[in-house]
């Protein structure tokens, strides 16, 4: 269905930790369980300290419906969270922190994730601004 990006995960996507289509994005996490994700809809580009994050990606997202649907891969669709935003084009900053705090079992850790969305007239190519692999 629309917004299903499961077929898009390849080596590049795993390295970038995100898959993006015109109107959907999927953010990879380092634990396969509930993790803290903060979503901010901002008027201006976010100010952040790059040193506080392990991995940073910037990309475009089109929210033409004005309904931003937020869900995990195993969430029950009728129960998903919806955030109402102004319809249109957004630039998204995906910030990944604490990626090196995961225990050997991949169960416990201090990983955290933030998505900042800001209205934008222009669609931009996905860019990894800080690469956790470097």
């Amino acid at each position: 269905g629309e917004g299903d990006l499961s077929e898009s995960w390849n080596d590049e996507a795993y390295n970038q930790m995100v898959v993006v289509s015109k109107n959907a994005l999927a953010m990879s996490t380092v634990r396969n369980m509930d993790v803290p994700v903060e979503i901010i809809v901002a008027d201006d580009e976010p100010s952040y300290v790059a040193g506080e994050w392990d991995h940073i990606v910037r990309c475009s997202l089109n929210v033409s419906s004005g309904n931003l649907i937020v869900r995990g891969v195993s969430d029950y669709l009728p129960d998903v969270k919806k955030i109402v935003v102004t319809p249109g084009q957004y630039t998204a900053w995906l910030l990944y922190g604490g990626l090196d705090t995961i225990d050997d079992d991949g169960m416990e850790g201090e990983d955290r994730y933030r998505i900042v969305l800001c209205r934008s007239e222009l669609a931009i190519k996905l860019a990894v601004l800080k690469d956790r692999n470097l």
Side-chain angles (χ1 to χ4, degrees):
E2 189 171 328
D4 179 8
L5 300 176
S6 58
E7 301 291 316
S8 302
W9 287 102
N10 57 26
D11 288 346
E12 182 183 34
Y14 280 113
N15 285 333
Q16 293 173 341
M17 299 189 72
V18 65
V19 168
V20 180
S21 71
K22 181 179 172 223
N23 56 10
L25 68 82
M27 184 179 201
S28 171
T29 60
V30 291
R31 286 189 293 158
N32 187 17
M33 54 197 334
D34 287 348
V35 295
V37 178
E38 180 182 26
I39 299 175
I40 299 168
V41 180
D43 291 330
D44 301 304
E45 290 192 10
S47 60
Y48 55 84
V49 178
E52 294 177 0
W53 299 95
D54 300 322
H55 191 79
I56 303 169
V57 175
R58 184 181 64 213
C59 60
S60 282
L61 180 66
N62 190 319
V63 189
S64 55
S65 68
N67 286 316
L68 187 65
I69 296 169
V70 181
R71 69 181 186 101
V73 290
S74 59
D75 287 355
Y76 181 54
L77 276 176
D79 296 340
V80 297
K81 292 179 179 61
K82 288 186 181 160
I83 301 171
V84 177
V85 298
T86 303
Q89 186 76 32
Y90 286 80
T91 298
W93 283 262
L94 313 180
L95 306 166
Y96 305 70
L99 302 183
D100 58 354
T101 64
I102 311 305
D103 68 10
D104 290 341
D105 296 333
M107 303 294 278
E108 299 293 327
E110 298 296 318
D111 53 324
R112 61 195 172 93
Y113 306 86
R114 179 183 296 164
I115 301 172
V116 183
L117 294 169
C118 180
R119 281 298 305 271
S120 170
E121 296 303 315
L122 295 174
I124 58 168
K125 279 182 57 105
L126 184 148
V128 177
L129 305 180
K130 181 175 182 180
D131 192 335
R132 71 175 292 210
N133 301 303
L134 298 180

